[in-house]
Amino acid sequence: MTDLEAVTDWVSGYVRAWASNDPTEIGDLFALDAAYYPAPFDEPWRGRATIVRRWLAQRDKPGTTTFTWHPVTVGPDLSVVQGVTTYPKRVFSNLWLIRLDGVGQCREFTEWWMRQPARA
């Protein structure tokens, strides 16, 4: 599997888990000792169980978001994707820093998100 295929599979899995809020789908994305930074300078959520718990504590209602993305750079240690998250009343630009392990699970994930200005 190429690095791009691995990142594509992982992001697709993330979007599925985002839509389902299924704890197994969420957990399967991350290595046991993964670190998830919900914002670049926040303390990370450490460990799969904590990631699942924190994700579910602030989950989005299924069907309320769309997410489109494209790769910025893809490598064996670090991949960066740029995305747009659309909610009914707001839109966010996203940069995701993704570090996958050899089996396609994320060992470190950092979200950078910026709210887009309201459109007239």
Side-chain angles (χ1 to χ4, degrees):
M1 176 179 294
T2 68
D3 295 332
L4 180 57
E5 288 171 320
V7 168
T8 299
D9 286 351
W10 191 85
V11 171
S12 296
Y14 188 104
V15 172
R16 278 191 307 277
W18 193 353
S20 73
N21 291 313
D22 179 270
T24 301
E25 286 186 354
I26 299 164
D28 286 348
L29 294 168
F30 297 95
L32 284 173
D33 61 348
Y36 186 126
Y37 292 81
F41 305 106
D42 288 356
E43 285 295 314
W45 306 342
R46 293 202 181 273
R48 182 185 293 161
T50 299
I51 292 167
V52 171
R53 181 177 52 78
R54 297 289 303 267
W55 176 312
L56 292 173
Q58 59 186 46
R59 65 181 158 225
D60 291 323
K61 183 178 175 184
T64 61
T65 62
T66 59
F67 182 73
T68 57
W69 70 280
H70 67 274
V72 174
T73 187
V74 176
D77 184 56
L78 175 66
S79 296
V80 178
V81 302
Q82 182 176 10
V84 174
T85 305
T86 304
Y87 291 88
K89 295 185 179 183
R90 61 194 193 275
V91 178
F92 291 89
S93 295
N94 311 101
L95 286 177
W96 289 0
L97 282 63
I98 305 165
R99 295 181 189 275
L100 299 179
D101 63 17
V103 296
Q105 290 182 315
C106 191
R107 55 187 174 80
E108 186 177 288
F109 178 72
T110 305
E111 291 187 87
W112 294 70
W113 47 272
M114 293 71 50
R115 188 173 186 162
Q116 293 184 5
R119 297 190 180 132

